[in-house]
Structures are given as C-alpha cells and as structure tokens.
Amino acid sequence: MTLLATGVDLCDMRRIERTIERFGERFLDRVFTPYERNKAEGRSGPARVGTYAKRWAAKEACAKALGTGFAQGVTQSQIGVENLATGQPILVLTGAAALRLAQLVPAGYEPDLMLSMTDEPPYAFAQVFISVRAG
C-alpha cells in the first residue's frame, strides 16, 4: 500500500451548531447527505451536533486530501460519511469528488480511503488518508 495524500480538519462544534440554528434545512440539505442527516437526527443534544461536526470535519479533511478543497466542482455533499456494520466510518465519494480521486490514482491501482473521526466538545476532528494498492 502506498500513501498518496492526507488531510486533517479541526472543527468547532459551536460554529456548526450556530450555523444550523441560523440556516436550518438550507444548510443541512446543501452540506450533508440523506444518510448523514438520518444518522445525526437520530441523536439528540450534543450528540446530534457532534455527529454533524465530525462529518463536517471529515468532508474538509477529504477535500484537502483530494487537493482541491471545495473548488473544481467538489462540494460538501459529494463527500459522504457512512458506517460499516462494525461502526467504522467510511467515505463515499460522488460527482467531481469521485472524479478527482480517480485522477489521483495511477493506472493499475485501486484507491483506499481511510477516515478517523473524534470529538471532544467543543471540538471535532477528522483525518483522511488516501492510499493505493495494486489492482
């Protein structure tokens, strides 16, 4: 396995909470996938905000690892965080984000995206590694 790129992000949960309070559904629909919204809305209080904040940080970290940030057509909603049955978070890329990942991967290789997230109020943190393995 060969490491191609990494990205990290630290997010203030209070900022995400204020943004949700101010912009509500418009913000949530623009940034988060239906899966992410369902996951967060199944929680209450600080756990709800923490779920959104960790996913915000994961999107930012992934955009950094892709080398685009939120430009070149890459948007927050194209970077989704889902969970395996074990609870392990995984990244699901669509649209321009998936295209950018494909551009990073050398011919004959397959990408591996690794995501780690955590929160300790008032902060949420995410780290993304993009590596490749022979296909």
Side-chain angles (χ1 to χ4, degrees):
M1 195 177 301
T2 302
L3 181 65
L4 284 183
T6 185
V8 300
D9 191 69
L10 180 67
C11 171
D12 188 324
M13 296 166 65
R14 297 166 294 192
R15 182 171 61 96
I16 298 299
E17 185 173 33
R18 286 191 305 268
T19 303
I20 292 170
E21 288 170 358
R22 183 171 178 198
F23 297 105
E25 295 296 315
R26 191 172 67 166
F27 169 71
L28 296 173
D29 284 341
R30 183 176 57 83
V31 173
F32 298 99
T33 67
Y35 179 96
E36 292 168 320
R37 292 201 55 195
N38 187 51
K39 183 95 171 163
E41 295 302 326
R43 298 183 170 153
S44 60
R48 175 180 173 264
V49 172
T51 300
Y52 280 125
K54 284 186 286 190
R55 279 148 184 79
W56 173 272
K59 291 167 187 288
E60 291 276 350
C62 184
K64 291 171 185 174
L66 290 171
T68 59
F70 293 113
Q72 301 178 34
V74 175
T75 65
Q76 290 97 340
S77 62
Q78 295 171 352
I79 301 170
V81 178
E82 297 186 7
N83 295 88
L84 299 177
T86 60
Q88 177 185 346
I90 60 169
L91 289 164
V92 178
L93 306 186
T94 60
L99 179 61
R100 175 62 180 155
L101 177 62
Q103 292 169 344
L104 290 175
V105 177
Y109 287 84
E110 297 291 325
D112 280 322
L113 296 168
M114 294 169 275
L115 168 63
S116 183
M117 304 182 299
T118 191
D119 65 330
E120 179 64 40
Y123 300 106
F125 176 82
Q127 185 168 24
V128 172
F129 292 98
I130 301 174
S131 60
V132 292
R133 57 183 155 70

